[in-house]
Amino acid sequence: MGTSRTDTTKEADAGRNDVALRGRLAAAADARELPSGDRIALLRLVVRRDEPQRRRRDGVDTARRATVDTIDVVCWSAATRRTAARLRDGDQVEVEGSLRRRFFGGPTGRQSRYEVEARVLRRVSGANAAGT
């Protein structure tokens, strides 16, 4: 029995939102309690970019662009929050999760930001390399 066109269309329409990162923790996790009572841990991960190709424009090398990206990571589950609490500034970590757009109130009104919601968080180097 084969896959019908309807099944294939449903799979394509479902989309995909998987993120896998490895980088250096910029600072220790920030644990917060939201007005809703939910607890989260926030991390900032510094991820090295691939080496950009140098381009020449009119015989002159162009300036190098940023070599890293800084990515916000949020931990909602108890397991990822516990792991985040054990991490230290400079630890190398891996994150598996999904990209989310979060809305919140700010001084100028409603704002939004993108962040990675961690499903799995693990330390790969640093003190006590282990994780969830």
Side-chain angles (χ1 to χ4, degrees), residues 64-116:
R64 288 197 177 264
R65 301 195 187 265
T67 58
V68 297
D69 288 302
T70 304
I71 300 169
D72 292 328
V73 177
V74 62
C75 300
W76 286 88
S77 72
T80 56
R81 288 195 318 267
R82 278 192 304 273
T83 300
R86 293 190 301 264
L87 297 173
R88 300 292 171 247
D89 181 15
D91 283 350
Q92 292 287 322
V93 299
E94 288 182 343
V95 177
E96 295 174 24
S98 300
L99 187 63
R100 302 284 187 233
R101 186 173 181 197
R102 182 170 58 95
F103 294 88
F104 56 95
T108 59
R110 202 103 167 109
Q111 298 178 12
S112 71
R113 75 179 330 151
Y114 284 97
E115 57 195 8
V116 173

Side-chain angles (χ1 to χ4, degrees), residues 11 13 43 46 62 64 90 105 116:
E11 288 176 21
D13 289 345
L43 306 169
V46 179
T62 58
R64 288 197 177 264
V116 173

Side-chain angles (χ1 to χ4, degrees), residues 7-46:
D7 291 342
T8 305
T9 303
K10 286 179 185 176
E11 288 176 21
D13 289 345
R16 184 173 179 187
N17 187 351
D18 295 318
V19 175
L21 301 168
R22 178 183 273 197
R24 177 181 54 82
L25 202 61
D30 179 20
R32 294 186 186 172
E33 185 169 335
L34 301 177
S36 64
D38 290 329
R39 289 182 296 196
I40 61 172
L42 299 169
L43 306 169
R44 184 156 286 161
L45 194 62
V46 179

